[in-house]
Amino acid sequence: MTGMDAILQGGLQGYLVVALLLFALGLATVLLRRTLLLQFMGVELMLNAANVALLAFARFRGGDAQAMVFYLFIIAVAACEAAVGLALVIGLFRHRDSTDSDRASSLKQ
Amino acid sequence: MFITFALITLLGALGMLLQKNVIVAGLCLVATFFGVAGLFLLLANPVAAALQIIVYTGAIMVLVLFVIMMLNSHEEEKAQASHPIQRWVSVALVAALAMGAVKLVLASPGLKALAASGDAVPQAMTLQKVGLTLFADHLLGFEVAGLLLLTAMVGAVALTKRNL
């Protein structure tokens, strides 16, 4: 399988292209949207893109179980990030009555 | 099959980027996570697919949607100042990054060789294999991950509670 075939039928390159486009969309979400919750979702999307690439490489190296362990660790870190990140968003909302990241540009009240 | 799940994944992500309503954007992200779970199934990895659905759609997205509804911020607020130049520059840079990376992936001879050598379908990943690797080779990492989760939980409570 080469070139377009690999992309359409799910060769290694197809998965990597999907992962790269997912990462780009997540990055665009973080850069273009102003709502903190949406930016947070963009970060989750970028983490997921990395997972897709990792597990695609693992499958094409013969089903490596090490990759699954790292996937588990990535998920644990993502869950921690979700808990702390959302707590920060709630704290910011209490202080400024807004979830807009542009409005949180100064350290003073 | 692959192209179906890939399209679900990418269209969900695009929907999240373009959607005005934050809750609908969150639901688009749920569709993306289901698409990614489908991709994991196609990679002969049902364990990862199940974990993806349980942790991402079942825990993280439920938490995010819960916070969106609690803060009652369904619509994006009006911009204080518009930054058209910055926005266009970021769009151009992200597009250039994506195109360049995709071109690199398609042109790489190493990836082509790896794709050809690993083309045979491997045995499906089982929980037994994952557990053996996790507890035999990465026990310390496992314990640290548990400690990290505990720290994050305590930190989240400390951040949201008004007066401890």
Side-chain angles (χ1 to χ4, degrees):
Chain A
M1 283 200 293
T2 52
M4 264 339 251
D5 260 14
I7 295 184
L8 291 177
Q9 290 163 21
L12 175 60
Q13 288 102 328
Y15 287 100
L16 290 182
V17 166
V18 169
L20 285 170
L21 293 180
L22 263 188
F23 187 89
L25 285 167
L27 187 61
T29 309
V30 174
L31 289 174
L32 293 175
R33 303 299 300 256
R34 277 173 286 106
T35 310
L36 276 170
L37 289 160
L38 269 168
Q39 293 182 327
F40 172 80
M41 291 186 213
V43 173
E44 294 289 335
L45 201 57
M46 288 196 274
L47 275 172
N48 245 283
N51 284 340
V52 172
L54 174 70
L55 290 181
F57 275 117
R59 178 241 179 271
F60 281 89
R61 289 179 68 86
D64 199 346
Q66 303 277 346
M68 264 311 284
V69 174
F70 280 96
Y71 173 69
L72 277 176
F73 290 157
I74 294 173
I75 276 196
V77 172
C80 294
E81 180 227 331
V84 176
L86 290 174
L88 285 173
V89 171
I90 290 176
L92 190 79
F93 186 80
R94 280 206 185 128
H95 279 288
R96 292 173 193 270
D97 216 22
S98 157
T99 53
D100 192 329
S101 57
D102 278 2
R103 280 166 217 236
S105 52
S106 75
L107 287 173
K108 282 212 282 189
Q109 266 291 32
Chain B
M1 266 323 248
F2 169 76
I3 200 74
T4 319
F5 285 127
L7 278 179
I8 292 175
T9 308
L10 292 176
L11 290 180
L14 198 65
M16 183 192 74
L17 174 59
L18 300 175
Q19 186 55 241
K20 285 268 174 283
N21 189 322
V22 181
I23 290 199
V24 180
L27 293 178
C28 285
L29 191 59
V30 170
T32 302
F33 286 154
F34 273 110
V36 170
L39 288 180
F40 287 166
L41 270 186
L42 292 184
L43 286 169
N45 205 333
V47 181
L51 274 176
Q52 175 82 16
I53 290 177
I54 292 170
V55 175
Y56 273 103
T57 55
I60 294 181
M61 280 321 291
V62 168
L63 197 64
V64 172
L65 289 174
F66 186 76
V67 169
I68 294 173
M69 291 176 188
M70 194 173 84
L71 299 184
N72 206 11
S73 59
H74 297 191
E75 303 288 332
E76 189 154 57
E77 290 163 39
K78 283 251 189 320
Q80 281 179 315
S82 63
H83 303 287
I85 300 171
Q86 284 95 325
R87 289 174 81 81
W88 282 113
V89 167
S90 62
V91 169
L93 282 179
V94 169
L97 178 76
M99 299 295 268
V102 166
K103 216 172 148 192
L104 268 179
V105 163
L106 291 185
S108 158
L111 285 180
K112 221 168 266 177
L114 186 59
S117 70
D119 212 20
V121 179
Q123 279 194 318
M125 183 66 61
T126 55
L127 265 182
Q128 192 186 11
K129 266 198 270 184
V130 178
L132 278 175
T133 319
L134 182 59
F135 289 108
D137 302 343
H138 298 279
L139 190 56
L140 181 67
F142 178 75
E143 297 290 346
V144 171
L147 203 61
L148 185 68
L149 279 167
L150 176 68
T151 319
M153 191 176 75
V154 174
V157 172
L159 278 170
T160 37
K161 197 146 169 50
R162 271 163 218 262
N163 35 9
L164 280 174

